[in-house]
Amino acid sequence: MTHSRGGALRRLLIDAGRVDRSQSDPVVSLRNAVGLVIPLLIAFASGNVAGGTPAAIGALQTAFADRPGPYRLRLVRMVGTAVIAGLVGGLASGFGHNTTLSVVLLAICAFAAGQLLSAGPAAAQLGTAATACAIVLGHLPQSPVKAVQLGLLVVAGGLIQTALAVAAWPLGRHRPERLAIAAVYEQIAGLARQPVGTSAGPPVVQAMADARATLDGRGHDHGPSVEAYRVLLGEAERLRHNVLTLAAYAERLPQSVIPSVLAELAGVLDVVVRVLTGNDPLRDAERETAIAHVERIGAARDQLGGSLTERAAASRIDATAGQLRAVIETTRTGAGEGRENEDAGEPLVRLPHPIEVIRANLDLRSSALRHATRLTLLIPATDIVLRLAGFDRAYWVSLTILVVLRPDFGSTAQRAFARVIGTLIGLAVGSLVLHYLLGDHEVGVILLLGVAFFGMRLAGPKNIALGSICLSVLVVCLLFLAGYPAHTTFVERSVATAIGGGIALVASLLWPSWERAQIRDQLADLIGAYRDYL
């Protein structure tokens, strides 16, 4: 048991330093970086760059709510995050002079953040944003009037980020849905060109999950175009299966025409991807190109022999050709976005409400409730102890606990290790660049901050070490603009990160939630969900 846990921990630590771009989007990362820089540049132009830090905090937290999904859902999610962050930040700043009220607010936010983790990534980010604002802005006590102003600045920064995220809405109402489907078909085309073989795991899983969440998740849209996209997603799942099956036949029939069939299939999907990523409907020339690929697939199928394997492959090719024709015609409907009544039709069945999910986790056997309890005890306790002890910017310890502590021990250990290493590297890099290259050039510091945030968002949620490096550079720049020298930031935050990571690990060991004990229940719940759906 000990040996297996040690091996699992080593694998987690190795994964922490691995670069995984599967959940990164350069366009979103650049957009979020611009949204963070804008309030700081406005503050610089007004002659008070330090006054722009609350708006930057709001933009920073709201950026993490900029997730894939319909524009309508994205708008609600990001505005909600900005408003909650501003409300909690204003309360925390106003309560900063009162230790009791600060502790109560932190405890409420920490418990909510832990429980919201069970309701999905969007809800979890909302809880994390509120708690982070309560931790940081609680150390900037203000009068009631000033606290309200600070909260409004946080909301304003979040609204700037939101405006950038939905700016393309009038140009393409269902662009997020189209891009999600296009990403699936693009990966299937790549799979057809370079089959992974029968020894590899199922490919394209993450892209399909993202597309399904975009099309069928809470806040989804409906209408002819979106229904066409749902049909395309269903066809994509069957096409992926057929591509894998044909690739397996190609291994058994190395001299057959199956590789050319897969190449023609990829050509059809290339046309679909171009149409879905563009703003124009399917043109006749593009349709004829796609149909020509399908006809060549039929011609290649006729070259197969009469063996049992070849007859099975021919049958699979026939099915694939029919699916490709359906995909071409369905793409014509989906690409007609905005040319028909998109609000007609009945809404689909809604998913279970997040409140029901949270209520189901109000049980000590639930890892979500254990996680919420740990956060509720640790975050207020560390904050008040370090505050009373007179440590400057003691909120770093509580922030590290918030980010590092996960429901299971393995993920906590991975994040603690990556966070500490990444923080040390990022603080060193940020301090050196500020001291030797930028000096007092505030515009340069603001631009460096934007580059750091771009790198952090591009790193994605899986690249913890790389994300921590970029986050540390960002924090150094933000504190420098607020008037704190870089060299003091390096020492204090390094120590605080190590302390916070150590506390998170100890808390996970004292009341562990081992992954091994959770897997059986999670698999049973998954199978039960499929049963109920069917």
Side-chain angles (χ1 to χ4, degrees):
M1 177 70 72
T2 303
H3 177 73
S4 62
R5 286 177 179 170
L9 180 58
R10 283 194 297 272
R11 287 193 296 273
L12 284 171
L13 296 179
I14 292 173
D15 289 342
R18 183 175 298 153
V19 176
D20 182 355
R21 288 285 309 282
S22 63
Q23 298 185 40
S24 302
D25 189 330
V27 175
V28 175
S29 302
L30 179 60
R31 182 173 69 217
N32 293 158
V34 172
L36 179 62
V37 167
I38 286 176
L40 291 172
L41 289 177
I42 293 174
F44 172 78
S46 65
N48 181 22
V49 69
T53 52
I57 291 174
L60 177 70
Q61 296 298 335
T62 305
F64 292 107
D66 189 358
R67 305 173 63 84
Y71 282 122
R72 183 167 55 189
L73 175 59
R74 188 182 303 176
L75 176 67
V76 172
R77 188 169 55 214
M78 295 184 71
V79 170
T81 301
V83 171
I84 293 297
L87 176 63
V88 172
L91 287 175
S93 180
F95 292 165
H97 297 289
N98 189 310
T99 302
T100 302
L101 291 177
S102 295
V103 169
V104 170
L105 180 63
L106 280 177
I108 294 173
C109 291
F111 183 81
Q115 279 294 93
L116 287 174
L117 195 66
S118 63
Q125 176 52 40
L126 181 63
T128 300
T131 309
C133 286
I135 293 172
V136 175
L137 298 178
H139 287 258
L140 300 174
Q142 303 285 347
S143 65
V145 174
K146 293 283 189 182
V148 171
Q149 294 175 352
L150 185 145
L152 291 175
L153 284 174
V154 173
V155 174
L159 293 180
I160 290 174
Q161 199 70 264
T162 303
L164 292 176
V166 300
W169 194 349
L171 302 178
R173 175 173 176 178
H174 301 306
R175 180 171 174 78
E177 291 91 335
R178 288 192 286 108
L179 293 182
I181 295 296
V184 172
Y185 276 91
E186 186 174 20
Q187 291 190 27
I188 296 176
L191 181 65
R193 289 192 173 90
Q194 295 183 338
V196 296
T198 56
S199 60
V204 205
V205 173
Q206 185 61 51
M208 285 190 171
D210 291 342
R212 190 173 295 109
T214 299
L215 291 170
D216 297 331
R218 190 169 304 281
H220 64 76
D221 211 338
H222 53 87
S225 291
V226 178
E227 293 304 325
Y229 300 145
R230 292 193 179 99
V231 173
L232 286 174
L233 180 59
E235 294 293 352
E237 292 179 342
R238 288 182 281 275
L239 280 173
R240 182 189 67 156
H241 180 71
N242 284 345
V243 168
L244 293 174
T245 304
L246 289 173
Y249 285 139
E251 290 182 354
R252 298 174 62 183
L253 303 169
Q255 304 301 321
S256 69
V257 297
I258 294 178
S260 65
V261 169
L262 291 173
E264 298 293 345
L265 183 152
V268 176
L269 300 189
D270 287 341
V271 174
V272 173
V273 171
R274 284 198 300 271
V275 172
L276 291 176
T277 54
N279 293 320
D280 298 322
L282 179 66
R283 298 186 178 90
D284 291 339
E286 293 171 322
R287 181 180 180 278
E288 292 173 2
T289 299
I291 292 297
H293 284 294
V294 177
E295 291 175 349
R296 285 194 288 271
I297 289 175
R301 173 243 186 267
D302 295 336
Q303 299 178 31
L304 290 171
S307 68
L308 181 62
T309 301
E310 288 175 306
R311 292 202 304 271
S315 176
R316 182 69 63 172
I317 292 172
D318 286 339
T320 302
Q323 288 175 326
L324 290 174
R325 292 181 184 276
V327 165
I328 294 168
E329 297 308 319
T330 307
T331 301
R332 179 196 295 271
T333 302
E337 171 184 324
R339 297 167 180 83
E340 301 181 55
N341 182 9
E342 293 291 338
D343 294 316
E346 296 294 327
L348 298 182
V349 177
R350 295 182 66 83
L351 299 176
H353 199 279
I355 298 299
E356 298 175 9
V357 178
I358 294 173
R359 186 184 299 119
N361 280 280
L362 291 175
D363 187 325
L364 282 177
R365 292 173 297 177
S366 166
S367 60
L369 183 60
R370 292 188 181 190
H371 177 59
T373 304
R374 294 190 197 100
L375 290 177
T376 305
L377 295 174
L378 292 177
I379 289 179
T382 53
D383 186 83
I384 191 62
V385 167
L386 294 174
R387 185 184 297 190
L388 293 176
F391 284 94
D392 290 334
R393 295 184 291 282
Y395 52 79
W396 281 340
V397 176
S398 302
L399 274 177
T400 301
I401 294 173
L402 174 66
V403 175
V404 166
L405 190 60
R406 298 288 96 181
D408 58 275
F409 174 78
S411 297
T412 301
Q414 180 195 50
R415 296 175 75 87
F417 172 80
R419 185 83 172 178
V420 171
I421 299 300
T423 296
L424 292 175
I425 296 175
L427 289 176
V429 171
S431 300
L432 290 174
V433 171
L434 284 178
H435 183 72
Y436 289 105
L437 295 180
L438 297 179
D440 295 328
H441 297 287
E442 292 179 334
V443 174
V445 176
I446 293 173
L447 295 179
L448 176 61
L449 184 146
V451 171
F453 192 52
F454 172 80
M456 180 183 174
R457 291 291 282 146
L458 190 64
K462 291 187 177 181
N463 306 317
I464 305 169
L466 180 58
S468 296
I469 292 173
C470 296
L471 176 61
S472 297
V473 175
L474 185 152
V475 169
V476 171
C477 294
L478 198 59
L479 289 175
F480 179 84
L481 294 173
Y484 298 101
H487 67 277
T488 60
T489 300
F490 177 84
V491 176
E492 292 175 358
R493 189 158 192 262
S494 299
V495 174
T497 301
I499 293 174
I503 292 174
L505 283 175
V506 171
S508 294
L509 286 172
L510 292 178
W511 195 13
S513 296
W514 300 109
E515 299 91 325
R516 184 183 300 274
Q518 301 173 28
I519 290 176
R520 291 168 62 94
D521 291 339
Q522 290 174 351
L523 285 176
D525 292 341
L526 177 62
I527 294 172
Y530 276 119
R531 176 201 62 203
D532 296 341
Y533 173 76
L534 293 171

